[in-house]
C-alpha cells in the first residue's frame, strides 16, 4: 500500500504482517534504548485539525524513535485561520518534500482527498465519522496479545456507534479476521443501514454482553451530534454505562477496552476502567506507539522501493 487511509483496502495477510512487526516494536519500546534508524533521512509532518492526545503523541514518538525528522504543524496557528484551503495547505507542505504526512481532520473523506494531491505517503489519524485505521490496528494487537488469537472471538462494541470512526474501522478489521461482532447501544446512536455491516445489534447491554470475549466501550461523541438527539448522561449511564453488574454477563475472562478519551461515569464506571484484571485500556495506549511505528516502517519501505521519478 502507498498510503494508510483506512482498514477497508487492507487484506487479512497485510493486517497480520503489520501486527507481527508491531509486536517487535513493543519489545523495542520496553527497552531503555528505544531508537532505530529505519526512518532516518525521512521527514514526517503531523497535521492535526482536531484535538488529540494519544494519536498525536504516539505518532510523534513513533517517528522520533524510528529516526525521522518530525514536525508537528500547529494548525490553530497556521494560514488555515486566514482562509487557506486544506488542499492549498497540503500542496504547500508537499512542496517542502515531506515523506510521511499524518493527518487528522473533522470531515469524513478529507484525508483521502489530501492523499490525491501529494506525492508522499499519507496516514489517516482519524477523519470525521469515516475511519481511524491505526486505532483499529492497535485494538487488534491488544486483543491478539490478551487473547492469544485474533479470530473466532465474540466482540461487543458498545455505545455511540453512529458517530464513531473507531467503531467503523474496528468492524471492518474484526470481520476481515473472522470474528463475530455485536453492536450494543441505543437505536438513536446506531447508523442507518446497519444491517449491511454483518453485525448483530442489541439495545440491551445485558443481552449484548452475554458471553462475549471482548467489551469495547465508546465515548458519546457530542461534538458530532450537531443538533441531533443527545441523551442525558445520567440516563445513558444507567442503561448503557459499563459497570460491574453489566460486565458480569460477559465471559469470566472478558477484557474491557476503550479507545479514549474516556468519560468516567458516562459510558464506563471508573473502577472498571482501572481494574487491571479486566481493563486493557493502558495496554491499548502502549500498542498505539508500536502500531504506528510498524505502519510508518512499512510505508517507508514502499516509499524507498519506488523509482525516484514517481516522487518528482
Ligand atoms: N483514541 C484516540 O484517537 O484518542 P485521541 O483523540 O486522544 O488521539
Amino acid at each position: 500500500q502507498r498510503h494508510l487511509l483506512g482498514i477497508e483496502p487492507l487484506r487479512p495477510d497485510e493486517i497480520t504482517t503489520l501486527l507481527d512487526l508491531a509486536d517487535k516494536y513493543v519489545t523495542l519500546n520496553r527497552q531503555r534504548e528505544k531508537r532505530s534508524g529505519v526512518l532516518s533521512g525521512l521527514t514526517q509532518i503531523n497535521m492535526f485539525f482536531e484535538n488529540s492526545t494519544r494519536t498525536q503523541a504516539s505518532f510523534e514518538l513513533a517517528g522520533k524513535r524510528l529516526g525521522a525528522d518530525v514536525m508537528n504543524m500547529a494548525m490553530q496557528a497556521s494560514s488555515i485561520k486566514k482562509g487557506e484551503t486544506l488542499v492549498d495547505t497540503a500542496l504547500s507542505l508537499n512542496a517542502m518534500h515531506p515523506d510521511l504526512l499524518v493527518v487528522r481532520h473533522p470531515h469524513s473523506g478529507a484525508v483521502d482527498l489530501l492523499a490525491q494531491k501529494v506525492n508522499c505517503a499519507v496516514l489517516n489519524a482519524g477523519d470525521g465519522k469515516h475511519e481511524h485505521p491505526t486505532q483499529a490496528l492497535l485494538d487488534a494487537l491488544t486483543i491478539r496479545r490478551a487473547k492469544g488469537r485474533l479470530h473466532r472471538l465474540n466482540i461487543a462494541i458498545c455505545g455511540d456507534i453512529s458517530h464513531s470512526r473507531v467503531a467503523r474501522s474496528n468492524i471492518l478489521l474484526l470481520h476481515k479476521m473472522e470474528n463475530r461482532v455485536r453492536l450494543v447501544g441505543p437505536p438513536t446512536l446506531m447508523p442507518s443501514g446497519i444491517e449491511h455491516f454483518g453485525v448483530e445489534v442489541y439495545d440491551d447491554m445485558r443481552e449484548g454482553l452475554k458471553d462475549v470475549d471482548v467489551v469495547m466501550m465508546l465515548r458519546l461523541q457530542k461534538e458530532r451530534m450537531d443538533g441531533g438527539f443527545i441523551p442525558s448522561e445520567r440516563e445513558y449511564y444507567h442503561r448503557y454505562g459499563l459497570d460491574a453488574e453489566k460486565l458480569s454477563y460477559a465471559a469470566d475472562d472478558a477484557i474491557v477496552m476503550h479507545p479514549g478519551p474516556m468519560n468516567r461515569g458516562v459510558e464506563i464506571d471508573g473502577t472498571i476502567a482501572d481494574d487491571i484484571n479486566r481493563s486493557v485500556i493502558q495496554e491499548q495506549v502502549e500498542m498505539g506507539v508500536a502500531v504506528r511505528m510498524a505502519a510508518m516502517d512499512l510505508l517507508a519501505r514502499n516509499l524507498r522501493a519506488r523509482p525516484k521519478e514517481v516522487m518528482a
Side-chain angles (χ1 to χ4, degrees), residues 51-55 104 132 135 259-261:
N51 292 348
S52 169
T53 297
R54 283 148 287 270
T55 313
R104 169 170 287 191
H132 193 350
Q135 179 69 46

Side-chain angles (χ1 to χ4, degrees), residues 194-231:
I194 193 69
E195 61 279 6
H196 303 305
F197 283 64
V199 292
E200 299 164 34
V201 180
Y202 296 84
D203 71 358
D204 182 277
M205 280 287 274
R206 293 166 187 82
E207 282 177 32
L209 295 191
K210 190 146 179 16
D211 299 329
V212 296
D213 304 297
V214 176
V215 183
M216 192 181 288
M217 301 306 299
L218 299 173
R219 181 174 67 88
L220 269 184
Q221 304 210 15
K222 291 185 181 172
E223 72 276 20
R224 297 195 209 287
M225 293 186 187
D226 42 53
F229 171 73
I230 301 181

Side-chain angles (χ1 to χ4, degrees), residues 75-84:
M75 299 320 300
Q76 293 301 319
S78 75
S79 289
I80 289 266
K81 289 282 160 200
K82 300 178 197 161
E84 189 166 42

Side-chain angles (χ1 to χ4, degrees), residues 103-124:
V103 187
R104 169 170 287 191
H105 199 279
H107 294 141
S108 306
V111 184
D112 288 47
L113 173 71
L114 192 145
Q116 291 163 26
K117 307 286 179 189
V118 297
N119 48 18
C120 59
V122 176
L123 293 102
N124 182 357

